[in-house]
């Protein structure tokens, strides 16, 4: 993959694809600016080389132009962080001059998500060279992440470079033992990752509602737990392939409903009674998982252990997050919910690498080619 070492940016106009798809609250306030912070090294380096920047990003999944999905808050936040004015350009056909200009949400443009060549030409016309630093969008073949990369001299920015090197590094040459902690609601989203780790990891720790298809495959009662039916067969296959390394919970915390005020019940074992749903791993499981993480040399974590956003069901995820934070191992956390959990419990600074990509980090770990990366290779 070409990097900034391979691209002449000195004094040039540089089109930079960033992923400023940040979470906003109802008032349009950014609730987590990690993705903007993540792009700063590249943007500062380019500015130090006297480049003028034309930034572009998507936000959300708008259908056409929609002010709810404006990049105005992101442009304001970036302006504060860079200490430079950031001008938001609303019209692709009359982009103002400026040291740092940001195009409005690229998904307002017809053809963006179709990787349209004509749209990519309009982007390319705005600059001399192209830098992609949008790791979080590298799994998308869109006009601003893929097509445009072929139309200008192009390279990866520092964030994209570091994400790819770190995530590939844990697959290609991990210090062992390598422990994969995989959680979340849907096992079908994680089968590719589990397959990759069956080949490579020493231990695989499973939590979250995705453990119920595993339990069902083993013949346990899952009660009213969220249990993806189409996940039962693949979960059974993973279990058979990974008898020596796949760990499942040995106890659970259940509730009547997905609600913080619901009655709760500690279950010693993994059979969930009718009328109850498993919403967290139990304390014995959390302790076992923490022990395995303590002895690891490399840990990859993606997906919470339970409904950590509801306080009665947060403890399993908190204990695992703490173990990931304090272990001496190299720790890499996939984006999305696990990053949010680390932040909620105050451990985000204690992890070696928190990916800015959710889907992108999973696809990379699965060994799938990322179109945004391939286009720079
Ligand atoms: C993300 O948040 O996953 C990336 O920014 C990509 O967004 P998308 O899933 O809407 O393509
Ligand atoms: Mg996504």
């Amino acid at each position: 993959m070409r990097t900034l070492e391979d691209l002449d940016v000195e004094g040039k106009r540089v089109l930079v694809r960033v992923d400023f798809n940040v979470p906003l609250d109802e008032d349009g306030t950014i609730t987590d600016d990690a993705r903007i912070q993540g792009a700063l090294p590249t943007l500062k380096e380019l500015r130090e080389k006297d480049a003028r920047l034309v930034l572009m990003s998507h936000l959300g999944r708008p259908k056409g132009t929609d002010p709810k999905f404006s990049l105005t808050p992101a442009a304001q936040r970036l302006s504060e962080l860079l200490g430079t004015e950031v001008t938001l350009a609303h019209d692709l056909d009359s982009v103002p001059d400026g040291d740092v200009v940001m195009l409005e949400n690229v998904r307002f443009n017809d053809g963006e998500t179709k990787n349209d060549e004509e749209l990519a030409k309009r982007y390319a016309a705005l600059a001399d060279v192209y830098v992609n630093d949008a790791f979080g969008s590298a799994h998308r073949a869109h006009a601003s992440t893929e097509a445009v990369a072929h139309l200008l001299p192009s390279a990866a920015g520092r964030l994209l470079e570091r994400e790819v090197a770190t995530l590939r590094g844990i697959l290609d040459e991990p210090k062992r033992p390598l422990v994969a902690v995989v959680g979340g609601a849907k096992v079908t989203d994680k089968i590719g990752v589990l397959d990759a780790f069956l080949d490579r990891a020493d231990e695989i720790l499973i939590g979250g509602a995705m453990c119920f298809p595993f339990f069902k495959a083993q013949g346990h009662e899952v009660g009213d737990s969220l249990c993806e039916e189409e996940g039962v067969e693949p979960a059974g296959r993973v279990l058979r392939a990974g008898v020596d390394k796949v760990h499942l919970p040995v106890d659970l915390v259940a509730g009547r409903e997905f609600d913080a005020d619901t009655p709760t019940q500690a279950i010693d074992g993994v059979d969930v009674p009718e009328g109850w749903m498993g919403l967290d791993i139990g304390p014995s499981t959390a302790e076992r998982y923490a022990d395995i993480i303590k002895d690891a040399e490399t840990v990859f974590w993606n997906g919470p252990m339970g409904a950590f956003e509801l306080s009665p069901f947060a403890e399993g995820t908190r204990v695992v997050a703490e173990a990931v934070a304090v272990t001496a191992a190299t720790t890499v956390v996939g984006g999305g919910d696990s990053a949010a959990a680390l932040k909620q419990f105050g451990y985000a600074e204690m992890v070696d690498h928190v990916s800015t990509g959710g889907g992108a980090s999973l696809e990379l770990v699965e060994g799938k080619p990322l179109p945004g990366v391939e286009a720079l290779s």
Side-chain angles (χ1 to χ4, degrees), residues 120-374:
K121 284 182 186 158
R122 292 169 70 201
Y123 295 148
L126 301 171
D128 308 309
V129 299
Y130 170 77
V131 170
N132 188 354
D133 213 21
F135 176 70
S137 306
H139 57 320
R140 306 288 180 220
H142 292 175
S144 66
T145 61
E146 209 281 336
V148 68
H150 302 289
L151 302 176
L152 292 172
S154 59
R158 297 303 179 197
L159 176 63
L160 182 61
E161 184 185 355
R162 181 163 55 92
E163 292 266 19
V164 170
T166 306
L167 290 162
R168 282 208 181 129
I170 60 167
L171 293 177
D172 295 345
E173 41 188 338
K175 288 179 286 160
R176 293 189 178 278
L178 165 61
V179 175
V181 187
V182 184
K186 289 169 72 188
V187 71
T188 50
D189 286 348
K190 305 287 166 79
I191 287 295
V193 169
L194 291 172
D195 279 334
F197 282 122
L198 279 175
D199 288 342
R200 292 185 164 89
D202 299 289
E203 313 284 353
I204 302 175
L205 315 181
I206 296 180
M210 67 177 263
C211 65
F212 293 108
F214 288 88
F215 291 143
K216 199 162 197 177
Q218 291 178 322
H220 290 289
E221 297 298 331
V222 301
D224 293 347
S225 306
L226 184 66
C227 180
E228 231 187 332
E229 208 45 59
E230 60 279 29
V232 176
E233 191 279 322
R237 183 178 56 71
V238 167
L239 271 180
R240 288 189 296 280
V243 262
D244 51 333
K245 60 175 76 164
V246 174
H247 300 260
L248 286 167
V250 295
D251 58 349
L252 298 168
V253 181
R256 287 276 186 196
E257 293 170 62
F258 192 92
D259 189 296
D261 299 323
T262 193
T264 66
Q265 181 188 167
I267 299 177
D268 186 14
V270 294
D271 285 291
V272 182
E274 210 52 51
W276 293 84
M277 53 176 80
L279 290 170
D280 194 12
I281 59 173
S284 301
T285 307
E287 196 180 316
R288 282 180 188 215
Y289 285 7
D291 274 342
I292 295 172
I293 291 165
K294 178 166 65 62
D295 294 334
E297 289 286 338
T298 308
V299 179
F300 174 84
W301 178 28
N302 181 289
M305 298 291 102
F308 73 95
E309 62 275 46
L310 308 177
S311 59
F313 310 107
E315 188 59 9
T317 303
R318 193 200 61 76
V319 170
V320 165
E322 182 182 33
V324 172
V326 302
T327 181
T330 301
T331 47
V332 178
V333 175
D337 286 340
S338 353
L342 275 177
K343 204 174 162 228
Q344 174 175 319
F345 301 123
Y347 300 129
E349 307 302 321
M350 294 165 74
V351 167
D352 293 302
H353 181 83
V354 181
S355 179
T356 55
S361 66
L362 284 179
E363 291 197 21
L364 188 70
V365 168
E366 282 172 43
K368 287 192 190 155
L370 304 183
V373 172
E374 298 296 302

Side-chain angles (χ1 to χ4, degrees), residues 19 21 35 58 61 107 136-137 139-140:
D19 187 335
N21 182 26
R35 285 179 161 180
H58 75 286
R61 294 177 177 173
R107 289 190 183 170
S137 306
H139 57 320
R140 306 288 180 220

